[in-house]
Amino acid sequence: DQQVKQNSPSLSVQEGRISILNCDYTNSMFDYFLWYKKYPAEGPTFLISISSIKDKNEDGRFTVFLNKSAKHLSLHIVPSQPGDSAVYFCAASGPQGGSEKLVFGKGTKLTVNP
Amino acid sequence: IAGITQAPTSQILAAGRRMTLRCTQDMRHNAMYWYRQDLGLGLRLIHYSNTAGTTGKGEVPDGYSVSRANTDDFPLTLASAVPSQTSVYFCASRGDKGFGYTFGSGTRLTVV
């Protein structure tokens, strides 16, 4: 049973436009959410996070929105740049059997076209 | 350079052979993790360790074992490799503060 779902395997946008990546979760115990970015042949790198006590967190061109009632979060990239082309993983953290572990979604491959 | 070092970078392995993937961190993080990444399946947790001397099973532990003799090293062993273990393997660690993980660059393993 997938606890963190990224239902769009891929997304293609034009340079300068907004990219919106979506993520849904099922476990109401999750209380911290993160986005990771992964380029080919590299490990995932942390991008942005949000605590469940907030509904928005912004860092430059990246904004994450959290809707707890809908168990949904989204990552907005504005404006999108070709260098943003990567796989984006949504991850959630919360009490799991006495230890904190991240649960990852399957990822969304973003392609930003020049 | 602070971070996680994984070795080897890539490996082609004959089925049935034993293989140990190495992971070393220099950040003194207590928690460490092994994930495998497969197309369409994302990152799946194999094993984890909350602190030196302890380990736990993740989502897909079968066919893999780990040990955590000290804080810095967290090797992953495939006792008898099978083709379904062909994957990219990532080691990660987490400090006591915050929830984010630091990942290594990965080991691309092909079992033939």
Side-chain angles (χ1 to χ4, degrees):
Chain A
D1 182 28
Q2 237 187 313
Q3 298 187 73
V4 178
K5 301 178 183 179
Q6 294 177 256
N7 292 320
S8 298
S10 63
L11 175 68
S12 182
V13 299
Q14 285 299 119
E15 180 178 6
R17 306 295 289 269
I18 185 172
S19 295
I20 300 176
L21 293 87
N22 294 302
C23 178
D24 297 294
Y25 62 96
T26 58
N27 189 340
S28 58
M29 296 298 290
F30 288 145
D31 55 11
Y32 201 79
F33 304 89
L34 307 90
W35 285 93
Y36 280 80
K37 178 179 181 179
K38 185 186 178 304
Y39 292 118
E42 295 183 10
T45 56
F46 170 75
L47 184 60
I48 192 169
S49 64
I50 187 167
S51 165
S52 60
I53 63 174
K54 294 186 176 182
D55 55 16
K56 176 183 175 181
N57 188 27
E58 190 172 354
D59 183 2
R61 296 185 297 111
F62 303 90
T63 302
V64 56
F65 296 91
L66 175 62
N67 182 333
K68 284 202 308 180
S69 61
K71 295 190 179 67
H72 177 83
L73 62 155
S74 60
L75 174 68
H76 292 211
I77 307 174
V78 184
S80 300
Q81 300 174 353
D84 296 328
S85 297
V87 176
Y88 290 79
F89 290 100
C90 172
S93 176
Q96 297 166 57
S99 64
E100 297 285 340
K101 296 187 289 292
L102 289 182
V103 179
F104 287 86
K106 294 183 177 181
T108 297
K109 182 178 182 180
L110 173 66
T111 302
V112 180
N113 301 302
Chain B
I1 299 176
I4 292 182
T5 301
Q6 290 187 238
T9 303
S10 64
Q11 181 76 46
I12 298 174
L13 184 68
R17 298 295 295 269
R18 180 185 180 90
M19 173 79 187
T20 295
L21 281 59
R22 301 185 297 279
C23 175
T24 300
Q25 54 111 350
D26 61 2
M27 298 170 286
R28 308 302 294 172
H29 285 173
N30 279 320
M32 296 189 75
Y33 310 87
W34 274 105
Y35 285 87
R36 60 179 288 175
Q37 184 196 8
D38 303 287
L39 190 64
L41 296 176
L43 291 162
R44 294 182 294 168
L45 181 65
I46 305 171
H47 284 287
Y48 66 93
S49 170
N50 287 329
T51 190
T54 69
T55 61
K57 293 182 179 181
E59 180 185 356
V60 288
D62 294 343
Y64 306 95
S65 63
V66 292
S67 61
R68 188 85 184 278
N70 56 63
T71 297
D72 299 343
D73 301 299
F74 191 41
L76 176 73
T77 297
L78 288 69
S80 179
V82 295
S84 62
Q85 292 178 309
T86 293
S87 186
V88 181
Y89 291 86
F90 290 101
C91 180
S93 71
R94 179 175 63 83
D96 293 335
K97 299 179 182 178
F99 297 89
Y101 289 8
T102 299
F103 282 87
S105 298
T107 294
R108 180 175 293 276
L109 180 67
T110 303
V111 182
V112 297

